Amino acid sequence: MIYERTGKGTMTYWLHLFTGTTWKEFRQAGAAFTGFRQHHWQRARKVKPGDLFLCYMVGVKRWVGLLQVTGECYQDDKPIWGEEPFPVRIPVKPLALLTAETGVPMKQLEGQLSFFKKGAGSRQWSNYVRVSLRKYQEADGVTITHAVQEAQRNPVKRQVDAKKLNRSAQRRRPAHLYKTKISTDEGDVETVLSVPTNEEDEQGQETPSATNASTATQPTGTFHTEIQYRLLELGARMGLQVWAPKSDRGKVWNGHAIDKIPGLLRSLPTTFDNVTNRIVENIDVIWLSPQNRSAIVAAFEVEHSTAIYSGLLRMCDLLTMQPNIDIKLYIVAPDERFDKFKRELPRPTFACRKKPLHKVCGFISYSKLRNTLDSCQKVINIKHVKPEFLEDITERYDPAQEMEIWE
């Protein structure tokens, strides 16, 4: 039963956000009080005994509890939560405590809430579950309350994505990501875009640190040449035709010249048009089929210190000129540049395509590639190795999935 407020007035319902981790910590601490960040102090003072907290677990998008307020807010920094102190404390009495698996999915309430109309997508309702201590309309509060109570009486277990369940309380939805709709031949399609700032563009030009101590004294140019040479040499050993820009062929790594690699093509296939040829000839490494030299198997841009954006743009240009080709594209860069890759990939230029670039272009870190290349040196019958092995060391990024985690 819900505690009845003394005096006149209707029940007041407040949103209370938890992550899977903070919900677990709250329950382990006895569930006798809850906490909020310091900037919530003024709003927390409006919460009165008898009010109800509607507990929503972000990431997994489920309603997991009902907490009735039993006292006024106060300040306390006693350690309860691992990531943050949440010093604005409010005493509560649990009325319903569900697990992430038995929580009420937001989708289940479609058409029953004022902010989640029938047929609406997450874009319409996500703003209503972004900030704790948001006051809900009474009708919405009653609907959520009844759904949680029913779930407690008749629990139904549903699978939970571990990554979403374990999301950090300290992180925020990436501020550079935006949901929008773009027009296509099939109609309007919702997509996620990024708009990096000029400051971020400049940071992309910085030279990253060395990836391990053994190579810390190598000149920057040597890193690029090493990775380029080893990829070309591996492709040739696998029986593929390989291509490198003519301007790079005089470069030498560890006493080996790029120009001396067996299988290095001296000219590009004549089946390409002039524009495609100009694009392809400047890509750092290309693997081509030995049976059909116009069939590109994989293309690599090595971005040690140059902007990640330039490599992605060249990949995008290639797909624009050859929209029907089915190839694997890779950005190869120091491990720490994956974050930059994630910020650049959702740019409108790359995302507003019939087939967004993130669906075909992956990231391979120096450390994973080096380990793999070292292992390949021990393989005797390297020609039996298929290019698909690269997927085992490739990191892929879907901006829409990241948005979904933080909603």
Side-chain angles (χ1 to χ4, degrees), residues 173-193:
R173 177 181 65 81
H176 66 288
L177 291 180
Y178 303 87
K179 275 189 176 180
T180 188
K181 288 186 177 181
I182 59 174
S183 297
T184 68
D185 294 339
E186 290 76 27
D188 289 345
V189 176
E190 188 174 83
T191 189
V192 176
L193 305 177

Side-chain angles (χ1 to χ4, degrees), residues 312-341:
L312 291 173
L313 190 59
R314 192 169 288 118
M315 300 296 196
C316 194
D317 288 344
L318 174 59
L319 294 178
T320 298
M321 293 304 302
Q322 300 289 328
N324 296 320
I325 59 175
D326 183 19
I327 63 175
K328 298 294 186 181
L329 306 177
Y330 302 97
I331 295 293
V332 186
D335 302 52
E336 61 267 28
R337 303 202 76 190
F338 183 55
D339 285 341
K340 184 62 176 174
F341 173 80

Side-chain angles (χ1 to χ4, degrees), residues 27 34 192 211 263:
R27 298 183 65 175
T34 189
V192 176
T211 54

Side-chain angles (χ1 to χ4, degrees), residues 228-389:
Q228 186 179 25
Y229 178 88
R230 298 186 72 179
L231 280 171
L232 290 165
E233 193 265 347
L234 175 62
R237 288 181 61 208
M238 291 168 62
L240 302 171
Q241 300 286 332
V242 295
W243 173 268
K246 292 182 179 179
S247 59
D248 291 342
R249 298 189 178 199
K251 294 180 180 179
V252 176
W253 174 74
N254 203 25
H256 303 289
I258 288 179
D259 193 49
K260 301 300 181 182
I261 294 175
L264 184 66
L265 295 176
R266 298 302 161 182
S267 62
L268 286 169
T270 56
T271 51
F272 289 155
D273 61 81
N274 289 336
V275 176
T276 301
N277 272 343
R278 292 298 300 273
I279 296 169
V280 171
E281 68 185 11
N282 288 305
I283 294 177
D284 287 326
V285 175
I286 294 180
W287 291 352
L288 301 100
S289 168
Q291 290 80 30
N292 179 5
R293 293 200 312 172
S294 63
I296 299 176
V297 175
F300 307 83
E301 279 290 314
V302 182
E303 303 295 350
H304 182 79
S305 59
T306 51
I308 293 286
Y309 179 81
S310 63
L312 291 173
L313 190 59
R314 192 169 288 118
M315 300 296 196
C316 194
D317 288 344
L318 174 59
L319 294 178
T320 298
M321 293 304 302
Q322 300 289 328
N324 296 320
I325 59 175
D326 183 19
I327 63 175
K328 298 294 186 181
L329 306 177
Y330 302 97
I331 295 293
V332 186
D335 302 52
E336 61 267 28
R337 303 202 76 190
F338 183 55
D339 285 341
K340 184 62 176 174
F341 173 80
K342 292 195 297 183
R343 297 183 78 85
E344 297 287 2
L345 199 57
R347 283 178 179 261
T349 297
F350 309 136
C352 295
R353 302 175 51 83
K354 186 173 183 179
K355 191 171 186 179
L357 192 59
H358 72 261
K359 292 185 179 295
V360 293
C361 185
F363 180 92
I364 300 179
S365 67
Y366 276 10
S367 62
K368 289 183 179 180
L369 181 62
R370 283 193 176 107
N371 290 337
T372 300
L373 291 174
D374 290 343
S375 298
C376 286
Q377 292 297 328
K378 304 172 185 177
V379 178
I380 298 175
N381 295 319
I382 191 69
K383 287 189 177 182
H384 295 299
V385 176
K386 302 298 183 183
E388 288 75 17
F389 83 91

